[in-house]
Amino acid sequence: MGSSILTAQDLSKVVPSAEGELTILHELSLELNKGDSLAIVGASGSGKSTLLGLLAGLDLPSGGEVTLAGQALSALDEDQRARIRAEHVGFVFQSFQLLDSLNALENVMLPLELDGRKDARERATELLQRVGLGQRLTHSPRQLSGGEQQRVAIARAFAAEPDVLFADEPTGNLDSHTGERISDLLFELNKESGTTLVLVTHDERLAHRCRRLIRLEAGQMVAPLEP
Ligand SMILES: Nc1ncnc2c1ncn2[C@@H]1O[C@H](COP(=O)(O)OP(=O)(O)OP(=O)(O)O)[C@@H](O)[C@H]1O
Ligand SMILES: [Mg+2]
């Protein structure tokens, strides 16, 4: 328990619907140590993005508890959860959520500047070079392809060297060669910085590079965690 960075205990999510209550996640538990990598797989609608949002403290469960970096999230208010996220978490969303008013470099610099880092520009430039976008620094998200926006989002999530990186389909919009490069980068970070990876993916190769894997079916875990 001592080195666990992220735990979920009996996590459930129930939402109201026209037909009554709909359970989108059912009593899911897991425990990840620092430096672990976890793939979450399952069909569309099985609850993967919902689970990721709960684990990252972006959404609150209907039941159960998430503990992130030693903090039980349900005990915190929204501001406190935001602080925990800023300190410990990087997130790559299924929709990239880049800021259109900023160019690629500024999008990646933003979390570093918020962190008060003097080397924000150099580090952001280096990260964008690592994802193959050294020639696109001053492009706005609108001027980038879907896969390029994906790579900017990944560079931004890496920027602050998070303890846990959550990514929803990080290779989803990329051709297989670029996807492979991004996978390599994810695991380099995992190795270099001990960043824990929690990845939702349909990419079999990426899933099998993770040390652990869970499969969701209609909100329930069907494949056990392999230690
Ligand atoms: N706020 C909500 N209100 C009602 N239903 C929701 C809500 N959020 C998610 N759902 C439903 O819960 C189920 C799981 O959604 P989720 O987005 O987690 O699926 P997913 O596994 O990520 O799918 P995909 O692979 O298509 O991204 C879906 O059937 C979705 O319609
Ligand atoms: Mg999803």
Side-chain angles (χ1 to χ4, degrees), residues 32-138:
L32 293 179
N33 293 327
K34 213 168 157 26
D36 256 340
S37 52
L38 171 71
I40 302 169
V41 303
S44 179
S46 58
K48 304 181 299 294
S49 296
T50 303
L51 174 60
L52 210 63
L54 292 174
L55 293 176
L58 293 165
D59 185 18
L60 286 175
S62 312
E65 182 66 89
V66 173
T67 304
L68 180 60
Q71 296 272 351
L73 296 183
S74 68
L76 307 178
D77 64 24
E78 180 50 48
D79 284 351
Q80 293 169 317
R81 282 203 304 280
R83 206 166 311 139
I84 294 285
R85 284 198 302 272
E87 234 171 273
H88 298 285
V89 166
F91 210 107
V92 181
F93 295 90
Q94 216 166 358
S95 57
F96 321 121
Q97 305 208 352
L98 299 174
L99 296 172
D100 273 324
S101 56
L102 302 181
N103 67 32
L105 180 64
E106 291 161 347
N107 263 285
V108 179
M109 282 171 65
L110 186 63
L112 293 165
E113 288 179 327
L114 291 175
D115 215 22
R117 284 181 59 162
K118 301 253 184 305
D119 63 342
R121 180 170 297 269
E122 292 70 36
R123 172 135 178 93
T125 302
E126 185 209 313
L127 280 162
L128 283 165
Q129 283 164 348
R130 278 178 84 172
V131 298
L133 291 177
Q135 306 302 316
R136 295 285 184 280
L137 300 180
T138 58

